[in-house]
Amino acid sequence: ALLPTHMVGLQLEGTISGAALAFKYVAWVSNGRGKEHSETQIARDANKSKAVGLNLGLEPRAIPGLVVGGMATRDEIPPDGGMPGRELPVRELIVGGYAAYSAHGLELLAEYFYMKHSGRHKDFDFHMYYVQAGYEVSRFFFWARHEGVRGPRDDENFDPYFEDTVTWHSKYLGGVGYRLSTLSVVKLEGWVKQGTDHLNDESGIGIQVAIGF
């Protein structure tokens, strides 16, 4: 994943409620990323430079079910002497915004993130986004989604932290699902993915059954 999904650290969150809106906040300090993008630093921070972040959200009382907000986080990724181009630390900045609306069976979601990796010789920029719409009636639910990643697009300009694991792409998907019970669903989903210069295009249809305990 491009964005960090797990962290080990301290987190403070809360809600300030008013007559017109509710203000939600989450602030955190964590060990941050490891030498590899898939690594979560648990007991030890390799460079002792903590990742810090803040997420702010607003829920207007006049539109129940709506939340809008933004976030920002910064980190310093430790160097990796065994990887060409990773001899120095990488400064990481991530900023983003989001909006969600859920009411009367309708769900609308949208998120955008900008990530910048800064080093001594070159900077790398990434743009990530998705928009999604869904609707649920009785036990059936339907959804459609568009998502994309924009970043360095050629072998001579890739971010050495991610190596060649990041692909520039645009993806469209949608499907229908049925709730068998409170904890189990069956879903039929189809997707079309367009890659760089259409060299890595793919499409497919899948069926998934999920059962909770």
Side-chain angles (χ1 to χ4, degrees):
L2 272 175
L3 297 174
T5 54
H6 303 285
M7 72 171 189
V8 176
L10 299 176
Q11 179 171 296
L12 173 68
E13 60 182 288
T15 300
I16 301 175
S17 297
L21 55 82
F23 174 75
K24 294 190 173 184
Y25 60 89
V26 182
W28 63 90
V29 178
S30 73
N31 284 345
R33 298 227 205 212
K35 291 183 179 181
E36 299 180 2
H37 65 87
S38 59
E39 177 187 356
T40 300
Q41 300 189 106
I42 300 176
R44 178 177 177 271
D45 190 339
N47 61 2
K48 303 188 185 301
S49 176
K50 301 302 181 184
V52 295
L54 179 66
N55 187 319
L56 302 176
L58 297 175
E59 297 182 3
R61 305 292 190 194
I63 311 177
L66 175 66
V67 56
V68 296
M71 61 78 64
T73 181
R74 61 157 296 278
D75 190 12
E76 183 175 285
I77 301 170
D80 184 355
M83 174 64 64
R86 290 277 289 108
E87 297 84 2
L88 300 173
V90 176
R91 295 186 303 277
E92 180 178 76
L93 172 68
I94 302 173
V95 295
Y98 58 89
Y101 176 77
S102 180
H104 312 294
L106 176 66
E107 183 179 62
L108 303 174
L109 304 170
E111 287 190 279
Y112 167 80
F113 295 96
Y114 167 74
M115 179 170 63
K116 185 181 188 68
H117 278 182
S118 302
R120 178 175 294 181
H121 304 296
K122 184 180 288 189
D123 295 344
F124 299 94
D125 300 297
F126 297 88
H127 303 266
M128 299 148 279
Y129 66 89
Y130 78 86
V131 291
Q132 179 174 310
Y135 186 72
E136 184 168 355
V137 55
S138 185
R139 291 192 172 191
F140 289 93
F141 55 96
F142 310 84
W143 74 93
R145 177 184 175 105
H146 171 55
E147 62 184 50
V149 175
R150 302 289 185 270
R153 298 180 57 176
D154 57 78
D155 292 340
E156 296 181 356
N157 193 38
F158 67 84
D159 185 340
Y161 183 63
F162 294 111
E163 303 179 69
D164 57 356
T165 60
V166 177
T167 58
W168 182 99
H169 73 266
S170 181
K171 188 174 183 180
Y172 301 85
L173 60 160
V176 57
Y178 182 77
R179 300 192 184 280
L180 301 171
S181 68
T182 305
L183 298 176
S184 59
V185 299
V186 58
K187 298 188 294 184
L188 174 66
E189 182 177 80
W191 68 90
V192 175
K193 182 178 179 181
Q194 299 173 338
T196 305
D197 300 323
H198 300 284
L199 297 178
N200 300 307
D201 290 359
E202 62 180 52
S203 60
I205 297 176
I207 297 176
Q208 179 182 16
V209 178
I211 301 175
F213 298 94

